[in-house]
Amino acid sequence: MNEDIRVAALRAAIRDVPDFPRPGIVFKDITPLLADPALLRSSIDVLCEGAMAHRPQRVVAIESRGFIFGSLVADRLGVGFAPVRKPGKLPHRSVRISYALEYGEDALEIHEDAVRAGERVLVVDDVLATGGTARATADLVRRVGGEVAAFAFVIELGFLGGREKLGAAEVVSVIRY
Ligand code: AMP
């Protein structure tokens, strides 16, 4: 199927929820896309077509909606998966990073043995907004010895300029706003 038609169908399945989780935020709800088997598969098709060229050897995805897409992408690409989680959730020895939010700060963790030395990692999440979360995840990947081959997002909120925070690695996104 033509790329534009696939992306248009995916875009039509994203539900805007105004003022969630806070006033002023328009939340991009992916659950209608997840509910439709053809659209779910199509989202993984487009993500993988974009990511494949970067020859990833592992997928690292961000809690929690990133896990949904990341694990499907890992399966499709035939590579392993490693989770990045909120502090205190991972059972084994972990590395933590703190990063600034609009108000305050947040932190993420990865297992110290999540990637092999020099491994090419694809970082996956549902939404690229300001880029802080993906940037922190990339820093974690590098701190445990991986190389960030590319980033892949289902949705990119381009007007927030997150892509500019992600350095030289390629950014693949399916639906852009
Ligand atoms: P950021 O660090 O600003 O790029 O935010 C990215 C993270 O926040 C991702 O894990 C998203 O799931 C979530 N997020 C940010 N903005 C939105 C939004 N408008 N709709 C849905 N999720 C969002």
Side-chain angles (χ1 to χ4, degrees):
M1 206 193 286
N2 177 293
E3 163 90 24
D4 292 347
I5 295 173
R6 285 190 302 179
V7 172
L10 291 167
R11 188 187 293 271
I14 303 298
R15 177 163 54 199
D16 280 359
V17 182
D19 299 318
F20 182 87
R22 290 193 306 279
I25 307 270
V26 180
F27 191 85
K28 297 294 185 191
D29 178 17
I30 52 156
T31 60
L33 183 163
L34 298 177
D36 182 313
L39 292 178
L40 178 57
R41 177 164 297 167
S42 167
S43 71
I44 303 305
D45 290 343
V46 180
L47 280 171
C48 289
E49 286 162 19
M52 225 157 39
H54 305 286
R55 294 174 287 108
Q57 297 168 297
R58 187 170 306 271
V59 167
V60 167
I62 304 164
E63 181 173 0
S64 57
R65 291 180 301 275
F67 292 174
I68 300 167
F69 296 100
S71 56
L72 290 169
V73 166
D75 177 61
R76 180 77 64 85
L77 296 175
V79 302
F81 174 94
V84 160
R85 300 206 63 182
K86 299 280 163 61
K89 303 276 191 184
L90 288 171
H92 185 57
R93 281 200 305 273
S94 300
V95 175
R96 177 183 299 200
I97 190 166
S98 298
Y99 61 102
L101 296 177
E102 200 178 340
Y103 302 102
E105 67 169 34
D106 216 339
L108 290 170
E109 292 183 347
I110 193 169
H111 274 159
E112 63 181 21
D113 61 357
V115 305
R116 296 203 186 88
E119 201 164 51
R120 297 175 58 78
V121 171
L122 177 69
V123 173
V124 176
D125 203 359
D126 64 333
V127 175
L128 172 63
T130 66
T133 307
R135 163 87 186 261
T137 299
D139 288 345
L140 281 177
V141 165
R142 294 186 192 104
R143 276 167 60 183
V144 297
E147 182 192 321
V148 177
F151 296 86
F153 304 94
V154 179
I155 295 168
E156 176 179 1
L157 304 179
F159 54 89
L160 294 176
R163 178 181 280 265
E164 275 72 64
K165 281 216 192 92
L166 301 182
E170 175 109 7
V171 177
V172 173
S173 62
V174 178
I175 307 161
R176 264 160 248 133
Y177 294 89

